[in-house]
Amino acid sequence: MHTTIAIVEDDEGICEELKHLIARAEDLTCVCICRNTESAVRRIPSICPDVIIMDIRLPDGSGIDCTARLKRLLPDTQILMFTINDDTDQIVKALEAGASGYLLKDTGSAEILTSIREVRNQGAPMSREVARKLIESFHRNPVRSDSADPLTPREEEILRRLSEGLLYKEIGERLGIKIDTVGTHIKSIYRKLHVRSRTEAVMKYRR
Amino acid sequence: MVRLMDFPISVRLPRTAARAARVALLCLSVVVNGSAADERNFHVRMWTTDDGLPHNSASGVMQDSAGFIWLATVGGLARFDGREFREMRPPAEYRALGLNIHGLAEERPGTLLVLPTGGTVLRLTGSTWSVHPATSVLADLHETPVDVHVDARGNVWITTAAGRLLRWSADGQSKMFGPDEGIVSRSRSITLADDVAGGVWIAADFLSSVDANGVLKRHELGSIEPRLVASGRNGRIWAWTDRHLLQLESGRVVREFDVPLPAGVGSVRHLFEDSTGTIWIATSRQGLFCYAEGHVTRVGAFSSVLFVTEDREGNIWIATDGNGVGQLREKNYRVFNTANGLAQDVVSSICEDLNGHVWLANRSGGLVEIGPDGLAQRRGPTGPLAFANAICADAKNRLWFGGGRNGLLRWDPEKPDALVQLPAPQTNLHLLFRAKNGDLWFAGDPGLVGFYRGDDLHTLTAADGFVPQEIRAIAQDRAGDIWLGGRSGELLRWDGRRIERFDAPRGFPPELIHAIWVDASDHLWIGTAGGLVLKDNDHFRVLTTANGLADDIIQQILEDDQGCLWFAARRGLFYARTSDLLATARGENPRVESHRLGPSEGLVGLSPTANYQPAACKTRDGRLWFATAQGAVAVDPARLPRNLPPPPLLIDEVHLDGRLLPLGAAMRIPSGQHRIQFRFAALSYTAPESVILRHQLEGADPQWIDTGSDRMASYTNLPPKAYRLRVIARNSAGRWNDEGATLAFTVVPAWWETLGFRLGAVALLTGVTALLARSIAQRRLSHRLLRLEQEHALEKERVRIARDLHDDLGARLTEVGLLAERLIADSPSDIAPQLSGLARRTRRLATELSSIVWTMNAANSSLDRLAGFLRRFAERVFRDTGISCVVTGVDAIPAIPLPPDPQHQLLAAAKEAMNNILKHARATEACLEMHYTDGVFELRIIDNGAGFTADAASMPEGNGLRNLHTRMAEIGGTLEITSGPGMGTKVIFRLPCPSRDSIT
């Protein structure tokens, strides 16, 4: 499957390398490079890429906010956060804003490509740390609006297994479901996360 | 009224022929004996220069409205308050010719008129002297004032040396009366007397009177012109004509008295009628005479008396020429001893017969009868049997007496020659008593008690319940029972059949019994050697000096008609109100008030005898007789000055540190270390030593203070406040002036003591303290702010560094890593693995960097965040390495604050350990375990690799291990490495991280 990728990254050097990296991969094409949120919001929606690699910190604003805006405009686009530190609070916020996963800047190039492909397939990569944070987040903030559904017990279980460090395959084996089902559950979790966060934002706005 | 029998030697108007001879005899005796006067009727007390009188020659005595006694003497003017004389000296310019005071009168309350030498008429108000306007009038007329008198209307009459009279009316009009007006004084000096109508009688060469309007009228009374006039009571005017005393009323002679003074009395200087109607005559050669009820008596042994007056308490005052000033008080008692003709002074027993005559047992002086005329006469038997110790009259008016060794004798005054010596008891009797039924009781040695009923003798024996003992006292109660008491201290009662004993077991205190008395209310009083005992139904109550009794040894008890009990005690006579005694004995009063009859009355050194009974006797005329070693003393309780008015009381002077302060309406005294002394005057002249004061300073004294007989109170260091000093006084008769005198004054605070200043000072102090506190607080705050700012700056610096690192360095490292990986594909195969290594190292650099940045974030300075970071770090390190990594215990780590430095070192050490596993362990599993217990954080990194020997030399990582130790030591932690070949490696890091709780 051919994937179009947009890059939103302010560092020139990294942008270059990413571009080179993607160019090497045959199934990936880099269609847009933006160096700030403003240009990203202006240019990307019309291009409608499959995946956006978004730096968490951009010179003219927060990558998370940009993610939120772009996700609203392009609900089917997967957004990968690209960050140097793994401040999980930021990552959870990014996921709430609509990111589908995150990449650390010290990730190897091979892994970068893998993650892009995964996210394109809506594999929704989720690390243990993120899973832990999500559990915490869901428990800390019980659902306050009608439109946001709470997690099903299966979803909670999957999150828990994830936080323990099990791979998708292992989780599937434990729960007696296929890997794809696990992925579906995780997507559902993400969706609920997005809805929650969006609803919360709306509610905050309404208040 | 003055009684007849108090003037035994007197000249009387003839009454009955039967007495005529006697009178003649007495008259003769008067003439023969000269001044055989009864001095003992008046108690005379003199004050001389020894007592502070300015001079022993005084010409006038006057009591002012306030109550002070003023004395005009040759040595000046003195004011007497009963205790001390205060000289009041006029300013020097007015006494150029000496200190002699010629005249003295009270112009109005508070102002005196004084005539010093030199011719001025001075006014004295308080202590201020001023000149009376009459002075200039007199000076203009070249007249010298010699005497001054103020009449009832307040007009001032000044007698001049030339024999004229200046009348200065109250409204300032003056009129001179001289020969032209009818006043001639060539052969006689002028005397004045006020009459009732507001006019003045003038005795000069002629007798005249000036009425209230100033009109003079001459009076002709008879052949002789009166020498003197004097005002009397009830508006009477007395005029003296050398032999006769004329009583004038409304200008007419209503009575004429013949008052023959002895020859050689010189001239009569002054005439005065006292409140009892006695006329006092002061003569120039024979002193003082008093005339009452037709008798003239010389009083005292003065030679020249110039003035006589009376004070408001009834005491007579005289000014003598050379003997000082005297006070006369009529004695309310009489003493009968050798001076009256008794053979001995000692009287051992007294009784009254049925005729009211008093009989004394005068020991070897026999029996002495004192008749109604007051004359003591020896009667009775003479010879060896004429010894009498105890005496008692029986129902038939016969006299029984104990004659010592002679036993009991009986003598009938009607049959003077018949003396009966009774057969029994033949012993020395010391007690005789007539019971109401006529029984004649006796008691004698050795423990003999009995009575004669008619001629029958009854002696008390054991059969009657009587234990022989010396009986000293006897009395009979209303029921007729006889009470006896004696040396043993037992109280005995005889009801006619048996003796009943009251002794210690029955509550009766065992003291020698001297006297027993049944009072008018049938209370039984017992005089003992240990106080006065009252038998109150079945209780015995004791009164002693502790309760206010004047003496503890009570030898005789009598009761007067005025509700008092009288006691002859070892130290003399005293009395107290019976109701007071009862109340104190029963505990209702704290103290009883006893009044002594002592030196103030002229009784000095009186020793009542106590060996024989009856030694005290009350006669039907109400007098109380006591047998003493100085004679028989007959006290007339009715004459006691009980009706003395309460003493006038003044706060006389106030001294501040010895300086006299003017007494004003609002006295202000400065505060501070000052001594304030108040002087009082309690103006009672009847026994002034017995005047007692009490004072209280309201505001300083919580209670009344007994000033005693002092006349002052002093206070020091009174705090600033308003005060009121109150004084009350009691005269010798016990009357209190409860209203007393008060003085209100304020102690003014010094400026630094005032409330305003104090409040201001407090406010200032508070303000200063507040400012100080605020400035301190502010300084501290600013210090803290500064420190916080510094810390914050530091913090901001770190954050900036972190961000710079993150942005610049981090991005470059990422770029380099990616570049290196890209190059791998294009590079020859021998370089590829090195490029791969390069990429890997670069990536690790980036991780290192991110951990450094992480540490710099202040929000991560806690143990729990470190734990979380360690977990993520470990997971990333072992990702894709073939080593499965399990991290446990992170969630149980509490949020203990951990400063950046230990955090950094621990992190570095943990990373090093993990790298070792990667590089050397060849392990397949790595495990991180974290614990926090007892304030210690523990991190275990365990692998299942090859292990190593703990030999420093063979370990390629010698430095690394040493570094680990160093790192941990630097932060106060410990490192424990357990390893063995083939057994894996266990590295345990321990760091003490005390929680806030454990610190506090």
Side-chain angles (χ1 to χ4, degrees), chain B residues 102-104 115 144-149 157-161 165 190-191:
Chain B
H102 294 293
L104 186 62
L115 297 185
T144 311
V146 293
D147 203 355
V148 65
H149 169 87
W157 294 83
I158 298 169
T159 312
T160 69
L165 204 53
I190 300 177
T191 52

Side-chain angles (χ1 to χ4, degrees), chain B residues 715-796:
Chain B
Y715 294 88
T716 49
N717 298 347
L718 287 175
K721 236 201 293 193
Y723 293 94
R724 209 162 75 111
L725 177 68
R726 293 193 58 202
V727 192
I728 55 175
R730 190 202 78 170
N731 62 18
S732 55
R735 283 283 298 275
W736 280 96
N737 177 353
D738 285 314
E739 219 185 273
T742 56
L743 177 69
F745 64 95
T746 323
V747 174
V748 178
W751 65 269
W752 42 269
E753 275 175 326
T754 56
L755 190 66
F757 179 83
R758 285 219 171 108
L759 285 175
V762 167
L764 193 68
L765 208 69
T766 318
V768 167
T769 314
L771 280 172
L772 210 69
R774 211 176 69 167
S775 84
I776 291 175
Q778 270 182 340
R779 190 121 34 102
R780 222 183 283 163
L781 200 66
S782 66
H783 269 290
R784 188 131 38 105
L785 278 173
L786 202 66
R787 212 174 47 244
L788 277 173
E789 270 175 22
Q790 284 175 343
E791 276 176 18
H792 193 231
L794 224 72
E795 186 73 30
K796 272 167 52 178

